[in-house]
């Protein structure tokens, strides 16, 4: 049904996301990343539009520079956006059909991409464990661990918090 919704990069947040994940960027555009967070937080459709654009950028993309930039945007949004965005990111469908798919052996992504995806899943599982409507990521994390997936060693004390205080 996604195709009925048109180009995910045609929305305001989608346009910013497309620029922020352009493979020709030399490094992250933090101004743009924070602008994406503002649009997500301040508009009704922001969270859904952002997720659609992120899925488009991440699914089946062999340009791992773009994938890493998109993962950074995703991580930034999780840390700076509210519950409406968290619900869309932490659900099983998004984690499984987007993030786990990126690191599947048939895609053979570079180690840096695998480590980033696994670190995000691990951090979110830890952060969202106590929120009943955000436990999809916890279930996927536990399934991956049962299957023998090795997560990178995370210094949980060094990670910045995911739960952003209310303004």
């Amino acid at each position: 049904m996604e195709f009925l919704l048109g180009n995910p990069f045609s929305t305001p947040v989608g346009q910013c996301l497309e620029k922020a994940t352009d493979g020709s960027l030399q490094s992250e555009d933090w101004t743009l990343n924070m602008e994406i967070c503002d649009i997500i937080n301040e508009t009704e459709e922001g969270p859904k539009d952002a997720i659609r654009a992120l899925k488009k950028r991440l699914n089946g993309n062999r340009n791992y520079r773009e994938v890493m930039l998109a993962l950074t945007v995703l991580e930034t949004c999780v840390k700076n956006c509210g519950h409406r965005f968290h619900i869309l990111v932490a659900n099983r469908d998004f984690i499984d059909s987007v993030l786990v798919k990126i690191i599947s052996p048939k895609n053979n992504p570079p180690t840096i991409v695998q480590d980033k995806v696994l670190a995000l899943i691990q951090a979110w599982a830890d952060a969202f464990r106590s929120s009943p409507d955000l436990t999809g990521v916890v279930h996927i994390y536990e399934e991956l661990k049962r299957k023998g997936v090795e997560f990178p060693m995370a210094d949980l004390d060094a990670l910045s918090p995911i739960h952003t205080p209310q303004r």
Side-chain angles (χ1 to χ4, degrees), residues 44-110:
E44 190 60 42
E45 294 301 314
K48 276 194 213 99
D49 289 345
I51 289 293
R52 283 184 47 236
L54 282 162
K55 280 183 180 177
K56 174 108 173 133
R57 186 55 98 201
L58 291 168
N59 274 338
N61 192 343
R62 294 264 184 236
N63 180 337
Y64 290 109
R65 177 99 193 100
E66 288 182 0
V67 169
M68 285 302 288
L69 288 167
L71 290 171
T72 299
V73 169
L74 177 60
E75 180 181 23
T76 304
C77 292
V78 168
K79 288 180 177 176
N80 293 285
C81 297
H83 195 73
R84 295 182 316 139
F85 187 77
H86 292 164
I87 286 175
L88 298 175
V89 170
N91 76 55
R92 286 184 74 103
D93 177 53
F94 181 80
I95 300 294
D96 219 14
S97 70
V98 179
L99 296 184
V100 174
K101 194 189 256 180
I102 292 171
I103 58 171
S104 79
K106 75 173 189 202
N107 288 330
N108 194 22

Side-chain angles (χ1 to χ4, degrees), residues 25-63:
L25 286 176
Q26 295 304 302
S27 65
E28 293 87 356
D29 182 335
W30 289 106
T31 306
L32 208 46
N33 291 359
M34 294 314 295
E35 189 178 324
I36 291 165
C37 294
D38 289 342
I39 295 170
I40 290 169
N41 288 328
E42 293 165 8
T43 63
E44 190 60 42
E45 294 301 314
K48 276 194 213 99
D49 289 345
I51 289 293
R52 283 184 47 236
L54 282 162
K55 280 183 180 177
K56 174 108 173 133
R57 186 55 98 201
L58 291 168
N59 274 338
N61 192 343
R62 294 264 184 236
N63 180 337

